[in-house]
Amino acid sequence: MRRTPPRRPTIKDIARRAGVSESAVSFALNGRPGVSEATRERVRRVAEQLGWQPSTAARALSGEGAATVGLVLARPARTLGVESFFLQLVSGVQEALAARRFGLLFQVVEDLDAECAVYRRWWAERRVDGMLVVDPRAEDPRPGLLCGLGLPAVVIGAPAVAAPPGAAISTVWADDTGAMASVISHLHTLGHRRITHIAGLPELAHTRRRMACLRTEAARRGLPDARSVTTDYSDAQGAEATRRALAGPRPPTAIVYDNDVMAVAGLAAAAERGLSVPADLSVVAWDDSALCRNTHPALTALTRDTASFGRHAAEHLLSLLDGAPPRRTQDPTPALLHRASTAPPPPGRQGDGLA
């Protein structure tokens, strides 16, 4: 037998229980003048007893805001199931929003055009008060679009964005360049001269910063065999890129992966070729996780408080919604945590005598 869902309490129910008019209930619940403090307190007490909550749609139509922020992710959905970074990021976002009784509206789309279309639709439907923007691009249309729509936003992962003057857009980022430099320094000190970086999506600004840093460090240290290859962040592409790198005429003695999922897949690909980590190949993962800690050997990884990163981003967006000016905030640089997956290269494979 189909059950009828319970009816949500309304302003009319509160008015009947409190013995006042519906307009008095509206004044009391919205903090407007026109009712006594005693009536205001009685109405609020009855509303709490009935379990009444304001309608998000009604709040939006009255100009009070939706009490919701949006997050759209333009990445292949198949790569998200085991991607610990976004799970931790969203947990931090949710922690900050919950403290203010804000909701998070989340959607995954195929590409940047679809993401921009979602922004326009949510704005037209008054679904969100502001946006959290991830995966900034080198030439990113989203800040300008959000400014034109009048939606405050925080761009996560960009030191600065191209937006019109006066745009209500803040940025929160960490130093990818400094983090990559610390990885290369660690591997170089161990004796590695042939280093491959298996990167993520090539259009992302942080991917470009990491690749540029590898090129700079390679030129400075005299490492002609250091190079980057791009993937979609998935375990399948991470494993395939590893196989191609190890099958080349001058295979790397160390591989740096742009996420934990690809690093673990790389371990399996190395084992297929009979290679031992770290005796034959050193492995470093970007963004530490339970995967890095619990695989064998445990992976050397860049570690940071990703939940705190998400919490800071959400707090900055709430500040914008409260009328605060935009801010540019740099979070702590990810720190390299040395575990068992990195060691000196095997004798004779340090780089054919290269310095």
Side-chain angles (χ1 to χ4, degrees):
M1 181 177 178
R2 186 175 178 180
R3 296 181 60 185
T4 302
R7 187 176 67 86
R8 294 184 178 90
T10 66
I11 285 180
K12 183 178 292 187
D13 296 325
I14 298 171
R16 186 183 304 115
R17 175 80 66 89
V20 298
S21 68
E22 292 179 38
S23 60
V25 172
S26 179
F27 291 156
L29 294 177
N30 290 300
R32 293 159 57 189
V35 294
S36 68
E37 284 304 313
T39 298
R40 192 184 308 277
E41 180 58 32
R42 183 167 75 256
V43 166
R44 288 176 175 172
R45 186 169 58 251
V46 168
E48 183 176 351
Q49 291 170 351
L50 293 176
W52 177 86
Q53 292 292 333
S55 163
T56 298
R59 283 173 56 91
L61 289 172
S62 66
E64 296 179 34
T68 302
V69 303
L71 172 60
V72 182
L73 192 58
R75 283 203 188 183
R78 67 181 183 279
T79 68
L80 299 180
V82 289
E83 177 80 55
S84 62
F85 172 83
F86 278 107
L87 295 176
Q88 294 175 44
L89 185 80
V90 169
S91 73
V93 166
Q94 186 58 41
E95 181 183 348
L97 296 180
R100 289 280 300 274
R101 304 186 72 177
F102 268 65
L104 177 66
L105 187 58
F106 177 71
Q107 186 165 339
V108 179
V109 296
E110 285 299 314
D111 54 35
L112 197 59
D113 288 341
E115 181 175 344
C116 291
V118 170
Y119 290 171
R120 295 186 183 96
R121 185 174 74 252
W122 285 354
W123 169 79
E125 295 172 352
R126 303 181 185 181
R127 300 282 297 279
V128 296
D129 299 323
M131 294 296 306
L132 294 166
V133 180
V134 296
D135 289 343
R137 271 73 169 171
E139 296 179 0
D140 202 325
R142 295 172 296 176
L145 170 61
L146 290 167
C147 180
L149 295 175
L151 280 175
V154 172
V155 179
I156 302 172
V161 294
I169 296 179
S170 292
T171 60
V172 179
W173 83 100
D175 184 6
D176 290 283
T177 299
M180 176 61 88
S182 71
V183 172
I184 302 307
S185 176
H186 170 66
L187 295 173
H188 185 269
T189 299
L190 289 173
H192 293 279
R193 302 296 182 264
R194 300 206 298 269
I195 302 169
T196 294
H197 168 215
I198 296 183
L201 296 166
E203 65 269 23
L204 303 186
H206 67 258
T207 301
R208 296 187 181 191
R209 289 197 297 271
R210 296 173 191 179
M211 293 170 64
C213 179
L214 177 62
R215 290 193 299 270
T216 299
E217 289 295 311
R220 187 171 71 87
R221 298 175 183 273
L223 308 177
D225 290 316
R227 64 191 185 97
S228 298
V229 293
T230 58
T231 69
D232 67 356
Y233 285 109
S234 69
D235 57 337
Q237 289 202 10
E240 183 55 33
T242 303
R243 295 186 189 102
R244 289 197 304 269
L246 296 176
R250 295 174 62 82
T253 62
I255 302 180
V256 183
Y257 294 88
D258 260 7
N259 71 7
D260 53 347
V261 175
M262 294 196 296
V264 172
L267 284 180
E272 290 172 3
R273 298 185 61 85
L275 298 178
S276 174
V277 174
D280 302 312
L281 177 72
S282 285
V283 170
V284 179
W286 208 288
D287 285 324
D288 191 22
S289 71
L291 280 177
C292 298
R293 295 188 292 273
N294 293 314
T295 193
H296 181 76
L299 297 180
T300 295
L302 285 160
T303 182
R304 62 176 167 186
D305 189 344
T306 304
S308 177
F309 194 44
R311 185 170 62 252
H312 294 162
E315 288 170 348
H316 288 331
L317 182 53
L318 292 171
S319 293
L320 287 175
L321 297 178
D322 289 338
R327 297 172 57 188
R328 296 176 56 203
T329 304
Q330 182 174 355
D331 251 39
T333 301
L336 186 65
L337 184 58
H338 184 195
R339 295 198 182 101
S341 68
T342 51
R349 293 194 63 203
Q350 285 89 347
D352 299 336
L354 292 172

